Amino acid sequence: MGECKTFELEQGWEYMQKGITKLKGILDGSLEQFNSEDYMMLYTTIYNMCTQKPPNDYSQQLYDKYKEAFQDYINSTVLPSIREKHNEFMLRELMKRWANHKIMVRWLSRFFHYLDRYFIARRSLPPLNEVGLTCFCDLKVNSKAKDVVLDVKVQRELLVVHVNQLLEKEHSGVHSLLRDDKLDDLSRMFRLYNKVTRGLEPVSNVFKQHITAEGTTLVQQVEDAASCQVLIRKIIELHDKYMTYVTDCFQNHTLFHKAMKEAFEIFCNKTIAGSSSAEQLATFCDTILRKGGSDKLNDEAIEEMLEKVVKLLAYISDKDFFAEFYRKKLARGLLFDRSANNEHERSLLSKLKQQCGDLQLAKEHHSSFDEYIGNNPSTRPGIDLQVSVLTIGYWPSYKSSDINLPAEMARGVEVFKEFYDNKNKHRKLTWIFSLGSCHINAKFDQKPIELVVITYQACLLMLFNTSDKLSYPEIMTQSNLSNDDLPRLLHSLSCEKYKILSKEPNTKIVTQNDSFEFNHKFNDRMRRIKVPLPLVDERKKVVEDVHKDRRYAIDAAIVRIMKELESFGLSTANLGPDIKAIKKRIEDLISQEYLEREKENPNMFRGVEGYAGPVRKV
Amino acid sequence: MRRSASKKTGQSNSTSASITFSATDFFRSASSKASSKEMERIDNLFYSYANRSSGMIDPEGIETLCSDMEVDHTDVRILMLAWKMRAEKQGYFTLEEWRRGLKSPRADTVNKLKKVLLDLEKEVKRPSNFVDFYTYAFRYCLTEEKQKSIDIESICQLLDLVLGPHFRAQVDYFTEYLKIQSDYKVINMDQWMGFYRFCNQISFPDFSNYDPELAWPLILDNFVEWMRAKRT
């Protein structure tokens, strides 16, 4: 297509020359511009000349001509203009020409970009950018220039021109002032550069880099979960320290507030020892609240610490992750009654207020249930049962499988249902067996031991009341647990510290070919032992859950909008701030043919008529 | 049928047996007589390339056809021919499709076909036709039933073929990006069309009028971000 036209080198180069001339004009101050068409034509000319068949493949010649274009311009125009000036005017000219040169390199390398892609890569030649810039550096300015630089150093104009170089020099650089905590010098430097237009920018950049570097080092030093807590404390200290700098040395200038914010955002969002900073913060809060932390802080100190944590939270982009992690930790703490002080929790997250209230109510239920059974002996389930009834929206969503309960437990559930339905006719109970715990008496040969396990583990153990030996598939059928849960549960009972069940074959991993038996011979010096279940990788699940929540929120908003408006654009629909997430959802809905773009205005979306219609034919 | 003044025919009605023909009828029958001969030749041309058992031109047949026309079978003009025919299945032409594509240009010989290809290029370039052709190109590559998107590798080739001649720079950079990024492993129709709108509307390479808060497909937002990062 269009290949019947072959460009000769001269012809094509003449065209490029026009573009280069225009570019030079622009550098000299003409108001012309390159529009898209110009750019595309120049780019395509180079492309064509490089993709033509030999002997009209001019890649090498064009590469050479590219370099020549710079050299010609430098020798004919740039060098003379610098040489004819003196002292600081020469320096100014030099700076101006350097800035111009960079622009020229940027544009020419764009036109010639096709060379970068194939010719240069294939021959491992220096790329266009480098070639262009080096042409300027090879420039030979006579030694007069160097002397001038030293002379004029103290003058203001030079500050403007050489600000970057000065900053990097060891003894006067902002960098070393920060490193050595020289507050007075920093204040002085601030006052000086404040007078120069845009003089503060490089200073704030160094400030930002410095904080980022320190923060990142802290983060990288952390190796395990324990030192994470120390890390959070150190980050808080870092924050306090540099905030003082901003207020004292830098007179609360917004540029420095911004630099600090950006620096913290960078390293606060890094992964720390395998988990996100959101999670680490959540753990930190949990520790502080539960025991007042390792330092046993008093109430006031706890509040102060929490306030600082909240400040750090401002830097973390995924705040909803923090909320979710925190809810899960606290929820577990509350449920298993480990929390120390209800008041602090309420002050931190408002949703938890509801959870606390919920627990209070649940406790009241316990006693009225006991009363109920006491008054109706026929209802006695034969086991000691305590049920906590929670309100759905206040708690994280928990998954629970449809496990086959042993008869005794099933009976207990029935009794409770009757009791509850009597009191609350319009409520529906959903049982979350995955969160239950159980004390079960196991009669081993040597002595009976009380096992503290979770409900699922108890259910599995009870299966062995009726069978001596069970295979994995049999256990699966009888318990109705899936391959997601079962291996982990069986593993906790047969392959870990306490081998309540013996496994055949006696390997470390549970497979579908295994069989299990009650281990009569088991013994421990304690009369009651807790048989723990290693937790599933919660982290991944929390991340997934939050993403899911966001998706649902966006979907719900889209459905709502579609009911109100015939068509909507991203701005008219109030779908929230996360444009990327919104666009992802819309993409999904478009491929499911639920949404489509308006033909006349592709920036608007609307629902597809007759959703799930036939595939269109060509 | 009405009798009409037969200025146009130049032949008096008395020469033909049915006096009651109208002028247009005369022409129609005259042209249809001629065209049925042409149609026969068009059909014969079809059969000279078609597979005996399937009654369709299959990939082998297309290759032969291409070499007769002295065109590479990966040439975009073959895709244009398929578009003209509204061919449904990639690599195959049915008789109906063949007739559809070749009837109006009346291509009943290989030489005429070659000319058709030349004219096709111009025809496709027309803005009203180009969008249609561009859309068709995507659909044509959906070879499996229920397939809705095309893998990156194929998309890059298709873009190069179909859009490269018009927006060389944009296509080059975009295909470079597509190969580097890992967010998307396939491209769907919405993204395909979005890119076309992008090339037409957005100033390149500065993207000065690009607004990511408008409903551009996300992949284009990412592309613009990537380009901007490259430039600093």
Side-chain angles (χ1 to χ4, degrees):
Chain A
M1 167 110 185
E3 255 136 75
C4 39
K5 218 199 303 180
T6 313
F7 283 105
E8 290 297 323
L9 181 58
E10 291 314 308
Q11 208 187 344
W13 185 250
E14 202 185 300
Y15 186 79
M16 295 308 296
Q17 199 58 53
K18 287 201 195 124
I20 296 177
T21 310
K22 182 169 175 177
L23 180 56
K24 289 182 195 166
I26 293 175
L27 294 176
D28 279 337
S30 102
L31 292 173
E32 280 190 277
Q33 280 182 5
F34 282 108
N35 60 30
S36 286
E37 250 178 69
D38 294 332
Y39 171 71
M40 275 157 44
M41 284 306 295
L42 290 162
Y43 182 99
T44 309
T45 306
I46 297 291
Y47 171 85
N48 286 333
M49 287 200 279
C50 292
T51 51
Q52 287 169 168
K53 297 205 176 21
N56 302 99
D57 167 10
Y58 297 121
S59 305
Q60 179 70 57
Q61 293 92 321
L62 288 172
Y63 185 65
D64 295 333
K65 278 192 182 296
Y66 168 82
K67 186 169 180 179
E68 278 165 31
F70 287 109
Q71 288 167 336
D72 286 342
Y73 182 65
I74 288 175
N75 287 326
S76 64
T77 317
V78 178
L79 218 41
S81 79
I82 294 179
R83 286 207 181 116
E84 72 184 10
K85 303 208 164 54
H86 304 285
N87 300 330
E88 70 256 37
F89 297 104
M90 176 200 265
L91 282 171
R92 281 214 207 147
E93 187 66 20
L94 183 66
M95 285 301 150
K96 173 181 155 202
R97 290 291 169 181
W98 171 239
N100 273 359
H101 185 80
K102 286 192 281 188
I103 295 174
M104 193 174 174
V105 172
R106 201 186 316 149
W107 276 101
L108 276 191
S109 64
R110 279 179 190 170
F111 299 151
F112 285 74
H113 178 69
Y114 194 75
L115 284 173
D116 263 333
R117 295 190 74 190
Y118 296 105
F119 176 72
I120 284 175
R122 232 180 267 142
R123 310 251 184 123
S124 304
L125 291 167
L128 293 179
N129 211 38
E130 201 182 299
V131 169
L133 293 175
T134 341
C135 285
F136 192 89
C137 296
D138 288 346
L139 187 58
K140 298 226 190 306
V141 183
N142 67 38
S143 59
K144 258 200 184 163
K146 293 202 194 125
D147 300 334
V148 175
V149 170
L150 291 169
D151 238 9
V152 149
K153 224 172 191 141
V154 295
Q155 293 193 26
R156 245 180 82 159
E157 289 84 58
L158 202 63
L159 267 183
V160 173
V161 159
H162 285 288
V163 133
N164 281 324
Q165 292 175 18
L166 280 181
L167 283 176
E168 254 124 56
K169 275 185 160 219
E170 267 313 307
H171 16 274
S172 61
V174 172
H175 184 72
S176 57
L177 292 181
L178 285 169
R179 204 183 48 215
D180 301 332
D181 295 324
K182 293 210 184 320
L183 291 149
D184 285 340
D185 286 346
L186 280 169
S187 307
R188 223 168 280 134
M189 174 156 269
F190 176 82
R191 288 195 293 274
L192 184 65
Y193 281 100
N194 201 7
K195 300 209 180 79
V196 176
T197 350
R198 301 182 66 181
L200 287 178
E201 269 173 34
V203 183
S204 69
N205 277 337
V206 176
F207 184 57
K208 176 176 159 185
Q209 283 164 30
H210 182 83
I211 301 178
T212 311
E214 277 204 13
T216 311
T217 317
L218 282 182
V219 167
Q220 282 166 353
Q221 281 167 356
V222 166
E223 277 154 2
D224 53 50
S227 37
C228 275
Q229 302 307 300
V230 174
L231 169 73
I232 303 282
R233 201 158 295 223
K234 286 200 180 142
I235 293 184
I236 292 179
E237 280 166 20
L238 195 76
H239 190 263
D240 288 343
K241 172 178 171 187
Y242 286 109
M243 194 46 98
T244 331
Y245 278 51
V246 175
T247 46
D248 295 352
C249 309
F250 302 123
Q251 297 177 18
N252 255 319
H253 196 284
T254 41
L255 209 56
F256 291 86
H257 272 289
K258 185 164 172 251
M260 196 164 139
K261 171 175 182 289
E262 284 171 4
F264 270 82
E265 275 172 358
I266 292 175
F267 67 80
C268 278
N269 284 303
K270 284 192 190 315
T271 320
I272 306 171
S275 52
S276 73
S277 47
E279 191 185 351
Q280 292 303 339
L281 267 185
T283 314
F284 185 74
C285 280
D286 192 37
T287 323
I288 297 275
L289 288 170
R290 283 202 281 116
K291 308 176 281 195
S294 45
D295 311 323
K296 300 272 186 268
L297 304 170
N298 62 27
D299 277 10
E300 220 178 273
I302 291 183
E303 276 300 326
E304 214 183 286
M305 189 59 90
L306 291 179
E307 255 179 59
K308 296 197 178 173
V309 169
V310 169
K311 284 216 184 86
L312 280 191
L313 207 57
Y315 299 123
I316 293 184
S317 44
D318 294 323
K319 297 191 213 324
D320 41 1
F321 281 106
F322 173 81
E324 191 62 20
F325 275 118
Y326 192 74
R327 273 185 349 153
K328 281 225 148 92
K329 285 191 198 294
L330 184 69
R332 208 178 293 132
L334 286 176
L335 271 182
F336 300 130
D337 215 42
R338 279 184 282 142
S339 115
N341 198 325
N342 274 342
E343 262 130 63
H344 283 301
E345 274 120 13
R346 273 193 205 115
S347 86
L348 186 62
L349 294 165
S350 59
K351 242 194 175 170
L352 299 175
K353 220 169 153 178
Q354 293 163 326
Q355 290 179 351
C356 291
D358 226 14
L359 267 189
Q360 211 42 49
L361 195 60
K363 285 206 171 92
E364 285 163 26
H365 272 147
H366 293 170
S367 35
S368 61
F369 180 60
D370 289 339
E371 228 183 276
Y372 171 82
I373 297 190
N375 295 337
N376 301 291
S378 59
T379 61
R380 278 209 199 104
I383 57 171
D384 229 332
L385 178 65
Q386 199 179 74
V387 179
S388 295
V389 181
L390 310 172
T391 315
I392 262 191
Y394 299 167
W395 298 81
S397 48
Y398 295 111
K399 238 179 50 169
S400 189
S401 320
D402 221 349
I403 188 171
N404 273 343
L405 292 175
E408 298 90 326
M409 293 191 200
R411 172 110 183 93
V413 166
E414 278 308 309
V415 170
F416 188 84
K417 262 201 206 146
E418 276 169 30
F419 157 75
Y420 191 80
D421 286 344
N422 267 335
K423 300 188 72 181
N424 308 280
K425 294 224 191 303
H426 302 293
R427 304 232 184 105
K428 178 174 178 256
L429 284 180
T430 306
W431 293 80
I432 312 283
F433 297 116
S434 54
L435 290 178
S437 66
C438 206
H439 291 232
I440 189 169
N441 278 322
K443 298 198 169 86
F444 298 106
D445 288 348
Q446 295 208 28
K447 68 171 188 289
I449 300 181
E450 191 179 307
L451 304 172
V452 180
V453 292
I454 64 165
T455 308
Y456 284 174
Q457 288 167 312
C459 293
L460 291 179
L461 290 175
M462 306 268 289
L463 292 177
F464 292 90
N465 277 345
T466 44
S467 315
D468 285 333
K469 186 170 178 175
L470 289 167
S471 68
Y472 181 98
E474 282 170 332
I475 297 179
M476 198 160 125
T477 321
Q478 290 185 26
S479 67
N480 202 27
L481 285 171
S482 68
N483 282 324
D484 291 333
D485 299 319
L486 199 50
R488 223 170 35 109
L489 290 163
L490 287 172
H491 194 273
S492 69
L493 296 169
S494 61
C495 304
E496 299 204 8
K497 185 171 175 198
Y498 302 117
K499 294 182 173 44
I500 315 292
L501 298 175
S502 28
K503 183 167 88 78
E504 205 182 299
N506 197 1
T507 55
K508 287 274 167 210
I509 303 186
V510 172
T511 68
Q512 305 205 5
N513 300 320
D514 294 339
S515 348
F516 299 83
E517 264 183 275
F518 179 64
N519 184 9
H520 303 261
K521 300 203 189 326
F522 176 80
N523 194 21
D524 192 272
R525 60 183 182 85
M526 305 296 276
R527 283 193 171 270
R528 179 200 287 180
I529 55 181
K530 185 163 169 357
V531 185
L533 185 68
L535 291 172
V536 164
D537 190 353
E538 270 235 322
R539 211 165 296 134
K540 223 169 95 180
K541 183 141 191 308
V542 172
V543 169
E544 269 172 36
D545 282 349
V546 173
H547 280 310
K548 242 194 279 172
D549 282 348
R550 283 181 185 167
R551 266 173 33 209
Y552 293 148
I554 295 175
D555 284 355
I558 291 180
V559 169
R560 209 171 40 236
I561 286 290
M562 275 169 62
K563 288 191 182 151
E564 292 171 18
L565 305 169
E566 205 178 289
S567 61
F568 66 93
L570 285 190
S571 48
T572 57
N574 204 344
L575 294 170
D578 191 351
I579 296 267
K580 280 194 193 267
I582 295 170
K583 284 196 177 184
K584 277 222 174 81
R585 290 314 300 140
I586 291 186
E587 226 166 56
D588 222 12
L589 294 170
I590 291 181
S591 37
Q592 289 175 48
E593 294 180 6
Y594 184 69
L595 281 183
E596 64 183 4
R597 290 180 195 263
E598 292 228 319
K599 292 239 166 9
E600 314 74 38
N601 184 358
N603 273 318
M604 303 288 273
F605 298 99
R606 60 158 183 228
V608 173
E609 291 290 315
Y611 168 46
V615 175
R616 280 193 223 131
K617 287 188 143 195
V618 167
Chain B
M1 295 201 183
R2 279 178 283 124
R3 211 192 228 238
S4 60
S6 41
K7 260 189 256 170
K8 286 187 183 166
T9 61
Q11 283 177 275
S12 73
N13 289 341
S14 54
T15 55
S16 114
S18 339
I19 299 174
T20 49
F21 273 172
S22 75
T24 41
D25 286 344
F26 182 85
F27 260 113
R28 194 180 297 136
S29 67
S31 58
S32 65
K33 277 211 187 85
S35 72
S36 71
K37 266 260 157 53
E38 262 175 0
M39 288 307 288
E40 230 183 277
R41 284 201 290 272
I42 288 177
D43 285 2
N44 286 338
L45 193 60
F46 175 83
Y47 286 118
S48 68
Y49 293 105
N51 178 306
R52 288 294 139 81
S53 42
S54 66
M56 291 196 296
I57 300 183
D58 62 11
E60 250 185 71
I62 291 187
E63 241 180 284
T64 321
L65 172 66
C66 287
S67 73
D68 285 353
M69 290 196 291
E70 290 169 359
V71 162
D72 194 74
H73 73 273
T74 55
D75 194 297
V76 70
R77 286 169 283 179
I78 299 300
L79 183 58
M80 291 180 182
L81 187 61
W83 168 75
K84 184 95 177 129
M85 294 184 194
R86 291 263 171 270
E88 254 187 60
K89 190 167 171 193
Q90 197 186 48
Y92 294 86
F93 295 146
T94 66
L95 180 61
E96 202 186 308
E97 291 164 356
W98 182 264
R99 283 176 175 169
R100 196 184 297 141
L102 272 43
K103 183 176 66 178
S104 51
R106 299 210 186 136
D108 51 3
T109 63
V110 172
N111 279 332
K112 284 201 195 151
L113 253 181
K114 280 162 96 165
K115 177 151 190 312
V116 166
L117 288 188
L118 277 176
D119 292 338
L120 259 182
E121 277 184 60
K122 291 200 203 95
E123 195 182 330
V124 166
K125 254 199 201 149
R126 261 183 258 141
S128 50
N129 286 332
F130 190 80
V131 181
D132 195 60
F133 172 66
Y134 184 77
T135 318
Y136 174 83
F138 185 87
R139 290 218 190 92
Y140 193 62
C141 294
L142 298 174
T143 46
E144 307 296 318
E145 217 195 297
K146 295 203 182 173
Q147 185 184 353
K148 295 229 183 92
S149 35
I150 300 178
D151 64 278
I152 295 289
E153 183 73 44
S154 308
I155 280 285
C156 289
Q157 287 172 10
L158 196 62
L159 273 176
D160 191 67
L161 197 64
V162 167
L163 213 52
H166 304 272
F167 297 106
R168 176 50 56 197
Q170 286 90 321
V171 167
D172 273 4
Y173 277 108
F174 190 53
T175 48
E176 198 183 314
Y177 173 69
L178 284 178
K179 292 181 182 159
I180 292 181
Q181 59 83 39
S182 49
D183 295 318
Y184 293 93
K185 298 209 165 48
V186 291
I187 298 295
N188 63 29
M189 178 63 95
D190 188 62
Q191 292 161 318
W192 175 256
M193 297 311 292
F195 184 65
Y196 178 69
R197 289 198 309 273
F198 178 85
C199 289
N200 276 300
Q201 291 174 26
I202 299 300
S203 165
F204 196 84
D206 53 288
F207 308 115
S208 55
N209 60 342
Y210 186 82
D211 183 1
E213 304 222 338
L214 290 179
W216 293 103
L218 191 54
I219 195 173
L220 291 177
D221 294 348
N222 297 345
F223 171 57
V224 172
E225 247 177 74
W226 176 79
M227 285 286 280
R228 286 189 173 140
K230 250 163 82 90
R231 289 314 90 144
T232 51

